[in-house]
Amino acid sequence: MRDDNKNLIVAIVLSMAVLLGWQYFFAAPEAERQRQAAQQQQSTQVNPNAPNPPASPSQAGGAAPTVPGTVPSTPVAPAVETREAALARSPRVTIDTPAIAGSINLRGGRIDDVSLKNYRETVDPRSPNIVLLSPAGTQNPYYADFGWVGAQNGALPTAETVWTADRTTLNASTPVTLTWDNGQGLIFRRTISVDDKSMFTVKNAVENRGSAPATLHPYGLVSRHGKPTTLGYYVLHEGLIGVLGDKGLQEYTYDAIAKEEPVPAGQNTVGEVWDEVNGGFVGITDKYWAAAVIPDQAQPYQGSFTMRQGPTGQIYQANMLGTAQTLQPGATTEVTQRLFAGAKEVATVDQYHEAFGIKNFDLLIDWGWFYFITKPLFKVLDFFFRLFGNFGVAILIVTVLLKILFFPLANKSYASMAKMKAVQPEMTSIRERYADDKMKQQQALMELYRKEKINPVAGCWPVLIQIPVFFALYKVLFVTIEMRHAPFFGWIRDLAAPDPTSIFNLFGLLPYNPGAVPVLGPFLMLGVWPIIMGITMWLQMKMNPEPPDPVQKQVFAWMPVIFTFMLGSFPAGLVIYWAWNNLLSVSQQAFIMRKNGVKIELWDNLRKTFNRKASPAKG
C-alpha cells in the first residue's frame, strides 16, 4: 500500500469511526422510537409531584408529619383524571404573561399548571402548545412546591391547605399574595411574581403572633410522577440536574437515581443529600424544557435528588432545604426563592445567570464536554441568524468563516499532499529499488520527505479539523431550542430534524412512507440533502488520483454511498453543513493544487468514470 493512499485510508477510517460511533450512541435507532419519544416529551414535558419524605393518601385531609431537616411529603391523588378535571377541582389564580399561560393551585399553593405560549408540539402552527407543568391527578403530574417544614406538624401549610389570594390573576406586572392563618399564632404569606419569560419569584414570609418561638426550615422542590419516556441519547442529559455550590454540576438519569442507597436512613426515599452549600440550583430537565428551584444564592442550603415509590409509580424529586430559622414571638421572617419553568432559550438562561448571579445556571443547557466549542459556535450562529433571519443561512456563513480560520493549516496540508503527488515517480522508484528491503525503503522515503519538506500525515488534518466542528454543530443542533423547528428553505422546515423526503417514494410522489418499513425504515429515509452531500463527497474523492490498489479503489468508490446512508438520519442542518463544507473543500483543494503546480485530477477522473460506465453499451 502506497504511503499517500495510506494517509487517505487513515483519514477515512477516522471519519468512519467517528460517524459510526455517533450513529450508535446518538442517532435514533429507528424512526418510530423518535416519534413516540417526541410525542411523550412534547405532551407531558415535565411531570413531577411529590416532596421528599413518603406520602400516603390517608394524609390528604390533614398536615403531613415532618421531621426537621427533611422536605415534607405531599398526598398523591388517588385516581387519574383529565387535565381539565384536575384543574377544575381546586380554586386557582390565573397566570397570564407573554410567554406563559396557566394557574396557581390555591389548594397547596403550588405552581402546577404551566403551558408555553411560544412553543407548539409540531411545526404545524395549529398544533397544541407545549404543556410543561401539570397538577396532581393528571396522567403525569409535574409541579413546583415551596414552604416550611419543622416540628410544628399540625401548624404548617400542607398540600391540602387552602390559601386566600388577594387577586385572581398573576401577570408580569402584578404579583399575587397568598395568605393562610394556622389558628395557632403563625400567619403565612406567599408572594408570587413572574417576569415576561420563565422566572417566578416566590417570597415566603411567616409572622409569629403566638407566645412561643417557632423553628422552621424553608424548602423548595420540583416533583415529577412517573418515569417519562426519554430520547435516550448519550449526547443528551434528561433527568435530575443541579449545581450545588462548589460541588458543581450534578446530573442523575431516572435510572441512576433509582439505584442510589436510601438517604436519609429509615425513610422510603432514595437519592443523595449533601452538606450545606451556597449558590446553584436543583431541578428536572428535558431536552428543551426544564423546571428548576433556585435558592437565595447567599444563603446556605442542602440539595438532594430523590426517588420514592408512589401508589402509581416512581416519584422523582429535586429538593432544596434551607437552614433552620427560629422565629421569636412578634417577629417575622422571609425567604426568597425562584422557579425557572420554561424553554431553555440560551439568551434567557444566560440573562438569568447574570441578572440573579445564579451559579453556573447556563449549565442547565447540556453543552457537553466541548462546552468551549459548542457554546461559542452557537453564539456565532445566533449572531448571523439575527442578521439574516435563517439558521440555515447562518450555518453556511459560519462554515465559510471556519474555512477561512483554518485555511493556513489546511493550506499546509493540501500543499503537502500536492508535493507528494509531484514526487510520486520518485517514490515509485524507491519502492522498486528497495523492494526486498523494507527498512531501507522507509529510510529512503523519509529522506525524500525531509528533502522536499513533506509531511506524510498531512492528509489527515483536513478530516481531523472537521471532526470537532462536526461534533460541536451536531450538539448545537441537537440541544438548543433555537434550532427546534427552525426552517431553511423549501421542504426543510426543521433543521434539527432529518430531511423528511425520501428517494424511495420518489420524494413524496408515491403514496407511502418508507420510514414505516420495519427495521430498514430509518435507512430508507434518504432525502434530497443527504443525496446532495453524497454527491459532493464523491466529487471530493475524485479530486485525487485513483489508487492503484484494487481494495483501496473499492473502498473509495463505496465511501460516498456509505456516508450518504449514514447521514440520512442526521439533522438536516448538519447534512447541509457537510455538503457545503465538501464543496468549499473541493474549491480550496483545487486552488492550492493549482498554486503548487499539481495537476487537478477531477475532470480526468470524471471522464474515466463515465466512459467506463458507458463502454459496455458500445458492444
Side-chain angles (χ1 to χ4, degrees):
M1 184 183 297
R2 299 180 185 274
D3 285 354
D4 54 337
N5 290 329
K6 191 181 297 184
N7 294 330
L8 290 173
I9 290 290
V10 170
I12 290 171
V13 169
L14 284 171
S15 55
M16 279 288 291
V18 169
L19 287 177
L20 286 171
W22 208 260
Q23 184 83 358
Y24 177 79
F25 287 110
F26 311 137
E30 45 188 301
E32 181 64 18
R33 179 186 170 192
Q34 289 181 344
R35 183 186 65 80
Q36 291 178 352
Q39 285 182 346
Q40 174 70 15
Q41 183 196 32
Q42 292 168 353
S43 61
T44 63
Q45 282 311 11
V46 196
N47 37 342
N49 154 319
N52 215 325
S56 64
S58 63
Q59 296 172 346
T66 60
V67 179
T70 64
V71 181
S73 61
T74 54
V76 179
V80 174
E81 55 190 344
T82 65
R83 179 178 173 80
E84 292 73 18
L87 292 173
R89 189 160 39 86
S90 304
R92 292 183 169 271
V93 172
T94 300
I95 302 172
D96 186 13
T97 77
I100 290 174
S103 61
I104 299 170
N105 192 345
L106 291 180
R107 186 179 298 278
R110 296 174 182 163
I111 301 173
D112 64 357
D113 173 26
V114 169
S115 297
L116 307 182
K117 292 183 177 180
N118 299 325
Y119 295 95
R120 298 185 178 274
E121 293 183 4
T122 70
V123 294
D124 186 345
R126 296 167 297 180
S127 64
N129 288 101
I130 293 296
V131 173
L132 184 61
L133 302 184
S134 295
T138 56
Q139 181 69 38
N140 295 292
Y142 183 20
Y143 58 79
D145 194 13
F146 299 87
W148 303 88
V149 292
Q152 296 84 0
N153 293 334
L156 300 180
T158 71
E160 292 301 307
T161 298
V162 178
W163 296 71
T164 300
D166 64 347
R167 60 183 63 252
T168 59
T169 300
L170 169 65
N171 54 46
S173 60
T174 307
V176 62
T177 298
L178 313 183
T179 306
W180 181 68
D181 185 340
N182 74 348
Q184 301 177 34
L186 296 181
I187 308 297
F188 295 86
R189 293 184 180 87
R190 182 173 301 168
T191 300
I192 303 174
S193 58
V194 63
D195 63 11
D196 59 355
K197 294 178 181 176
S198 309
M199 189 68 80
F200 292 84
T201 299
V202 181
K203 295 182 179 180
N204 272 301
V206 183
E207 179 184 357
N208 187 356
R209 295 182 181 177
S211 58
T215 300
L216 305 174
H217 294 256
Y219 77 87
L221 62 87
V222 175
S223 188
R224 185 174 207 162
H225 284 245
K227 179 184 175 182
T229 300
T230 60
L231 297 178
Y233 290 91
Y234 181 75
V235 72
L236 174 70
H237 173 68
E238 298 168 282
L240 294 90
I241 186 173
V243 170
L244 300 183
D246 294 335
K247 298 182 182 296
L249 180 66
Q250 308 291 329
E251 295 178 323
Y252 287 85
T253 64
Y254 297 102
D255 290 336
I257 199 66
K259 297 176 183 177
E260 294 292 324
E261 292 297 321
V263 175
Q267 294 185 358
N268 184 26
T269 304
V270 299
E272 187 170 353
V273 177
W274 284 269
D275 295 331
E276 286 189 340
V277 296
N278 289 81
F281 64 93
V282 295
I284 299 177
T285 183
D286 293 303
K287 181 178 181 179
Y288 293 125
W289 337 101
V293 171
I294 303 154
D296 186 327
Q297 298 295 287
Q299 298 298 317
Y301 71 97
Q302 290 179 333
S304 64
F305 305 99
T306 62
M307 187 281 287
R308 65 183 176 85
Q309 193 67 33
T312 58
Q314 299 93 341
I315 299 174
Y316 301 91
Q317 193 164 294
N319 316 285
M320 62 79 43
L321 185 72
T323 303
Q325 300 188 24
T326 299
L327 189 61
Q328 298 296 331
T332 299
T333 188
E334 182 180 86
V335 296
T336 299
Q337 301 157 301
R338 290 185 170 86
L339 169 69
F340 174 88
K344 298 189 293 186
E345 299 168 348
V346 177
T348 300
V349 170
D350 285 350
Q351 177 187 340
Y352 292 143
H353 170 68
E354 296 294 332
F356 300 119
I358 306 170
K359 187 177 180 65
N360 296 132
F361 193 58
D362 57 332
L363 296 183
L364 189 63
I365 300 172
D366 187 4
W367 295 109
W369 295 341
F370 294 102
Y371 178 100
F372 60 95
I373 298 178
T374 49
K375 191 168 184 181
L377 180 60
F378 170 80
K379 294 287 189 180
V380 176
L381 285 168
D382 189 57
F383 171 79
F384 286 108
F385 165 73
R386 295 179 188 280
L387 282 181
F388 298 100
N390 188 298
F391 267 114
V393 172
I395 290 172
L396 300 183
I397 295 173
V398 170
T399 307
V400 174
L401 293 179
L402 290 171
K403 280 293 182 184
I404 295 173
L405 177 64
F406 292 115
F407 181 81
L409 186 57
N411 182 54
K412 289 183 179 180
S413 299
Y414 286 131
S416 184
M417 292 172 63
K419 288 180 181 178
M420 288 193 73
K421 292 185 179 70
V423 300
Q424 190 71 38
E426 294 182 58
M427 294 171 64
T428 302
S429 175
I430 289 172
R431 291 191 181 96
E432 292 174 350
R433 192 183 319 147
Y434 301 108
D436 299 327
D437 192 338
K438 298 298 181 182
M439 180 67 71
K440 287 186 177 181
Q441 182 183 114
Q442 289 299 318
Q443 290 174 348
L445 287 172
M446 293 305 296
E447 181 61 32
L448 176 63
Y449 295 155
R450 281 193 293 270
K451 175 185 174 183
E452 300 295 336
K453 298 180 179 180
I454 296 173
N455 181 358
V457 298
C460 300
W461 282 111
V463 173
L464 292 177
I465 292 170
Q466 190 171 340
I467 287 173
V469 177
F470 179 86
F471 281 168
L473 185 59
Y474 184 96
K475 186 78 171 182
V476 167
L477 284 166
F478 193 76
V479 306
T480 57
I481 193 169
E482 288 79 0
M483 295 293 182
R484 178 183 184 263
H485 298 172
F488 185 44
F489 296 114
W491 64 95
I492 302 298
R493 301 176 64 190
D494 186 355
L495 286 167
D499 188 324
T501 61
S502 174
I503 192 174
F504 294 101
N505 65 359
L506 299 182
F507 308 111
L509 293 178
L510 300 180
Y512 79 97
N513 179 19
V517 177
V519 182
L520 296 178
F523 299 99
L524 298 181
M525 291 305 296
L526 193 60
V528 175
W529 273 106
I531 292 173
I532 292 175
M533 188 285 307
I535 293 172
T536 61
M537 187 174 184
W538 179 71
L539 288 174
Q540 192 173 15
M541 292 281 186
K542 293 299 181 181
M543 288 290 293
N544 302 301
E546 289 187 350
D549 185 85
V551 175
Q552 295 178 44
K553 188 180 297 186
Q554 288 300 314
V555 170
F556 287 173
W558 283 100
M559 280 293 294
V561 177
I562 294 171
F563 272 58
T564 298
F565 277 91
M566 284 176 57
L567 268 71
S569 61
F570 275 57
L574 195 67
V575 180
I576 291 169
Y577 156 77
W578 194 280
W580 178 234
N581 183 75
N582 286 345
L583 284 176
L584 294 177
S585 296
V586 168
S587 303
Q588 185 181 49
Q589 188 174 354
F591 170 78
I592 294 172
M593 292 174 70
R594 188 181 299 276
K595 179 181 176 182
N596 286 271
V598 177
K599 181 182 178 182
I600 299 173
E601 306 282 348
L602 176 62
W603 306 116
D604 288 346
N605 285 339
L606 290 177
R607 277 194 293 269
K608 289 179 184 178
T609 299
F610 289 110
N611 287 340
R612 189 161 51 240
K613 291 180 179 179
S615 58
K618 296 178 182 178

